[in-house]
Amino acid sequence: MLAQILALIKKDLTLEWRQKYAFGGILLYVGGAIFICYLSIGVRTSQLSPATWNAIFWIIMLFISINAVSKSFFQERQQRFIYYYTIANPQAFIVSKIIYNAILMILLGIIAFAFYALVMENRVEDNLLFIFNILLASLSFASALTMISAIAAKAGNNATLMAILGFPVILPLLLLVIKISKAAIDGLDRSLSIDEIAIVLSINVIIITVTYLLFPYLWRS
C-alpha cells in the first residue's frame, strides 16, 4: 500500500510539473488577491489593525485552498478513474490525494505569507508559530476538502457543491487557526495556543479517519 501511495503522489507531482499553467494560475490568483487588498487599503497599510491584517490573510488562504484542492479531482477524467480502480487500492488513492494536497497547500501558504508580509507589512511577532500554524492549516484544509472534492467530482465536477459542503467543515477549523495566528501576531506565549492546536489536530485525525473508512464506498460507485 505504501508503494501505491508513493507512486500516486509521484504521478500527481509529475502531472503538476507538466501542467505548470495550473499552479501558475493559482499563484497569479494569490498575487492578484494580495495586490488588490493592497490597492484597496493604499498608503494606510501601516494603520491596518492586526486583527484585520490577520482576517484578510486567512480569507485569501480560504479561497486558495478551495481552488487548489478542487482541481485535484476535477482535472481527472472519468476514464482515468476507471483505470485507477483496476490498479490501486481506494485507501491508497485517497491518502495520496490528501498528502499531495497538503504539500501543495503548504507551498502555496508559505508563498502567500511571504508575499503578503512583503506587500502588507509583517505584523507577526512570533513568525515561527505563525508558519507552524500555516502548516497546520494547510493539512486541515487538505484533509477536509479532499473528500468533499471527490464527492463533488462524482456529482459532475460541481464546484458550487464543493463550496456548499466545504463551508460547514472548514469554518470551525478556520476559526481555530485564526485564533492561533492572532496569538502569534500579538507575540503571546506559545503555551496559550496548545489547546487550539490540540483541537485542530484532533479534528484532522477524525476527518482523515472518516475519509479513509468511507472513501471506498464512494470509489465503488
Side-chain angles (χ1 to χ4, degrees):
M1 183 173 173
L2 180 60
Q4 289 186 8
I5 293 174
L6 294 176
L8 289 167
I9 294 173
K10 182 180 178 181
K11 181 268 300 178
D12 284 329
L13 292 173
T14 303
L15 288 176
E16 193 68 53
W17 178 254
R18 290 178 180 176
Q19 301 173 355
K20 298 182 182 66
Y21 63 87
F23 184 73
I26 298 175
L27 286 180
L28 182 62
Y29 176 85
V30 173
I34 294 174
F35 192 62
I36 289 172
C37 291
Y38 172 74
L39 292 178
S40 301
I41 297 168
V43 295
R44 295 172 295 174
T45 303
S46 59
Q47 301 175 3
L48 195 66
S49 68
T52 305
W53 187 95
N54 189 32
I56 293 173
F57 175 77
W58 287 107
I59 289 172
I60 294 172
M61 282 294 297
L62 174 63
F63 287 101
I64 291 172
S65 63
I66 292 175
N67 281 280
V69 176
S70 63
K71 73 180 184 64
S72 65
F73 276 94
F74 289 0
Q75 68 184 3
E76 301 278 9
R77 297 181 179 179
Q78 185 65 32
Q79 295 85 348
R80 194 179 295 170
F81 276 121
I82 296 173
Y83 174 67
Y84 293 151
Y85 187 87
T86 61
I87 64 171
N89 183 288
Q91 285 90 351
F93 184 80
I94 194 63
V95 169
S96 70
K97 285 291 186 183
I98 292 174
I99 295 174
Y100 166 74
N101 287 329
I103 294 171
L104 181 62
M105 281 303 307
I106 288 171
L107 181 60
L108 290 171
I110 296 298
I111 294 173
F113 173 59
F115 188 59
Y116 188 76
L118 177 66
V119 174
M120 305 288 286
E121 299 182 12
N122 189 4
R123 302 297 183 83
V124 181
E125 294 290 336
D126 191 345
N127 286 288
L128 189 60
L129 177 60
F130 196 88
I131 292 174
F132 172 77
N133 190 40
I134 291 176
L135 303 182
L136 189 63
S138 299
L139 176 61
S140 301
F141 293 157
S143 60
L145 293 175
T146 299
M147 183 63 176
I148 295 172
S149 176
I151 296 172
K154 284 289 185 180
N157 291 346
N158 193 327
T160 304
L161 178 62
M162 180 177 174
I164 294 172
L165 294 177
F167 185 75
V169 179
I170 289 295
L171 185 59
L173 292 169
L174 191 62
L175 294 175
L176 289 168
V177 297
I178 287 175
K179 189 173 182 179
I180 297 170
S181 61
K182 183 62 169 60
I185 291 172
D186 294 338
L188 301 179
D189 190 273
R190 295 174 184 174
S191 61
L192 298 176
S193 302
I194 290 178
D195 290 342
E196 287 78 15
I197 293 172
I199 293 172
V200 174
L201 290 174
S202 300
I203 293 174
N204 284 335
V205 170
I206 294 172
I207 292 174
I208 292 173
T209 302
V210 171
T211 301
Y212 185 86
L213 295 175
L214 297 183
F215 182 74
Y217 298 98
L218 182 66
W219 178 264
R220 295 191 191 101
S221 66

